[in-house]
Amino acid sequence: MSEPGVADFRRLCSRLSLAATGVFAVIVAFMGVMLVILALRLNGIGERRLWLLALIVAPIGFHLWALWSLRSLFAGLARHGLVFGRGSGVALSRTGWGLLVGGVTTLAAAPVIIRLVPPAGAVGFAVSGLSAIILCVVGAALIALTALLRQGLVIQEERAALRSTLDEFF
């Protein structure tokens, strides 16, 4: 990629990092406001409601972790350009794990939530279940891609060591 292309890529990654940070902040702020409203309205939240709230919020925590990891990936690419190093692999792997575990948590929690909150019904499960399955697949794909890229990084390091040895020899 030409130098202007690298600069454009770095600017794009910088914008994506800022956008991910903004989305993260909005979601955390919204969740905070909702928890405060719930605490004030419920006035002494019962154990059953507390468990229900924990079931609802658990997948969001994993998805936020994935979003934060993705933000750090974009920030690293904005700083270093088209260099895929160990930090990028770790961020990509964490994103994949966050999406995968968040999706699995959503799939595990959805039937319980639907049973405890009857108005949600089958429609709520169909919507949350489908998105959770897609997130699981994307998360697993990111994890597999990370393993492949990690292997490529090892080969790249071996190549650099061999090149160094050859340069010393000649």
Side-chain angles (χ1 to χ4, degrees):
M1 192 177 272
S2 66
E3 202 55 42
V6 172
D8 290 341
F9 177 76
R10 291 175 82 169
R11 276 193 297 277
L12 173 65
C13 287
S14 179
R15 281 189 229 122
L16 289 172
S17 176
L18 286 173
T21 303
V23 169
F24 182 89
V26 167
I27 291 172
V28 168
F30 178 75
M31 293 300 297
V33 168
M34 292 304 295
L35 289 174
V36 168
I37 290 171
L38 278 174
L40 292 174
R41 287 195 71 210
L42 295 177
N43 212 10
I45 190 168
E47 186 177 342
R48 181 172 182 234
R49 285 187 177 160
L50 186 62
W51 280 108
L52 180 62
L53 187 61
L55 280 173
I56 293 170
V57 174
I60 296 169
F62 291 113
H63 293 139
L64 284 174
W65 181 50
L67 180 61
W68 192 256
S69 297
L70 197 58
R71 184 212 61 83
S72 68
L73 173 68
F74 288 134
L77 290 172
R79 271 191 307 275
H80 305 296
L82 292 169
V83 177
F84 192 86
R86 294 205 186 280
S88 301
V90 168
L92 190 60
S93 181
R94 286 182 181 163
T95 301
W97 280 110
L99 292 175
L100 179 64
V101 174
V104 169
T105 306
T106 300
L107 287 173
V112 176
I113 294 169
I114 289 168
R115 185 145 194 233
L116 294 175
V117 185
V123 175
F125 179 71
V127 172
S128 66
L130 180 61
S131 64
I133 291 169
I134 291 169
L135 287 173
C136 287
V137 171
V138 171
L142 286 174
I143 293 166
L145 178 64
T146 301
L148 180 67
L149 292 172
R150 193 176 304 126
Q151 209 171 24
L153 190 60
V154 168
I155 291 170
Q156 182 180 358
E157 290 170 349
E158 289 173 356
R159 180 179 170 264
L162 286 173
R163 186 173 208 70
S164 173
T165 304
L166 282 174
D167 288 344
E168 289 174 8
F169 185 72
F170 292 110

